[in-house]
Amino acid sequence: MTYYVPFFAWIQQYKWAYVRGDLIAAITVASFYIPMALSLAANLAHVPPINGLYSFVFTPLIYAFLGSCPQMVVGPEAAGSLLVGSIVSSTTDVGHEDGVAQAQMAGLVTGLAGAIIFIAGLTRLGFLENVLSRPFMRGFISSVGFIILIDQLVEEMGLGSAAQEAGVTHGSSIEKLGFLFSNFHDAHKLTCAVAGGSFLIIMTCRYV
């Protein structure tokens, strides 16, 4: 029973002395995860921002009972949101966005993915992760980072409205890259300055 529901294994070792530290950790994570969840839902998954909060609240709660890895990233994250967004975009007509329909499609994709992972856990298929080579995973992560960079540059340069009018909001990365080059002169200078300055500060703190 403890294999299928790890909650029964670690709850016996939990102490009231851990509550204070866990509460501080929860507040710390929520302080930066909530705005990130809102941004990922709206910009990458192409669903209403409230769905990002739903993912942030319910997913960790379920994983607390069924998960076995304390370091696992649970909830909305960039790669998963990007994959969901690509499916939502392919089923949405440009100029006829429907937040409810897009949220339903995202929920369907999430349910299917969760069912596959749940079945894989019950049948102990975790060893399949070793089949994927490290270069393959690095290439996948690098490509996801590149796609996210292109998607976010549209907003960080203040060209979100122009991109929506041009119909490239749900387009491919090549189309968005071409749009950025052709509309570079229309970028909002203050928005670019704030985005560029924030990026430099983050990278400086990371290396220093």
Side-chain angles (χ1 to χ4, degrees):
M1 190 64 181
T2 57
Y3 173 82
Y4 294 106
V5 186
F7 169 80
F8 294 114
W10 64 261
I11 194 61
Q12 299 175 5
Q13 305 173 6
Y14 195 83
K15 300 179 182 179
W16 284 106
Y18 301 157
V19 174
R20 180 181 178 183
D22 288 343
L23 183 61
I24 295 175
I27 296 174
T28 302
V29 172
S31 65
F32 69 84
Y33 214 124
I34 289 177
M36 185 175 72
L38 295 172
S39 176
L40 292 175
N43 296 330
L44 294 183
H46 303 298
V47 295
I50 188 65
N51 292 97
L53 294 182
Y54 292 152
S55 301
F56 172 72
V57 172
F58 294 111
T59 310
L61 183 62
I62 297 173
Y63 190 80
F65 291 92
L66 302 179
S68 59
C69 179
Q71 290 79 27
M72 179 69 70
V73 177
V74 181
E77 43 89 22
S81 300
L82 181 65
L83 295 175
V84 172
S86 64
I87 298 175
V88 172
S89 299
S90 64
T91 57
T92 303
D93 296 331
V94 178
H96 299 85
E97 288 81 2
D98 184 355
V100 176
Q102 291 172 249
Q104 290 174 343
M105 179 58 65
L108 177 61
V109 173
T110 304
L112 290 173
I116 293 172
I117 295 175
F118 183 72
I119 294 174
L122 292 178
T123 53
R124 302 188 179 189
L125 297 179
F127 68 91
L128 292 177
E129 181 184 2
N130 298 326
V131 176
L132 301 177
S133 63
R134 181 167 295 183
F136 173 82
M137 294 302 298
R138 287 181 176 177
F140 170 74
I141 294 173
S142 300
S143 62
V144 168
F146 176 76
I147 294 174
I148 293 175
L149 174 64
I150 300 300
D151 285 346
Q152 295 304 303
L153 272 178
V154 175
E155 299 294 337
E156 300 299 339
M157 295 174 62
L159 297 173
S161 300
Q164 192 170 6
E165 294 177 359
V168 298
T169 306
H170 299 301
S172 64
S173 298
I174 301 299
E175 294 175 346
K176 293 178 181 178
L177 194 59
F179 170 80
L180 289 173
F181 279 113
S182 60
N183 294 271
F184 183 81
H185 56 279
D186 295 328
H188 194 273
K189 294 182 176 58
L190 180 59
T191 304
C192 291
V194 173
S198 301
F199 177 77
L200 290 177
I201 292 174
I202 293 174
M203 296 304 294
T204 302
C205 293
R206 178 174 181 266
Y207 286 106
V208 175

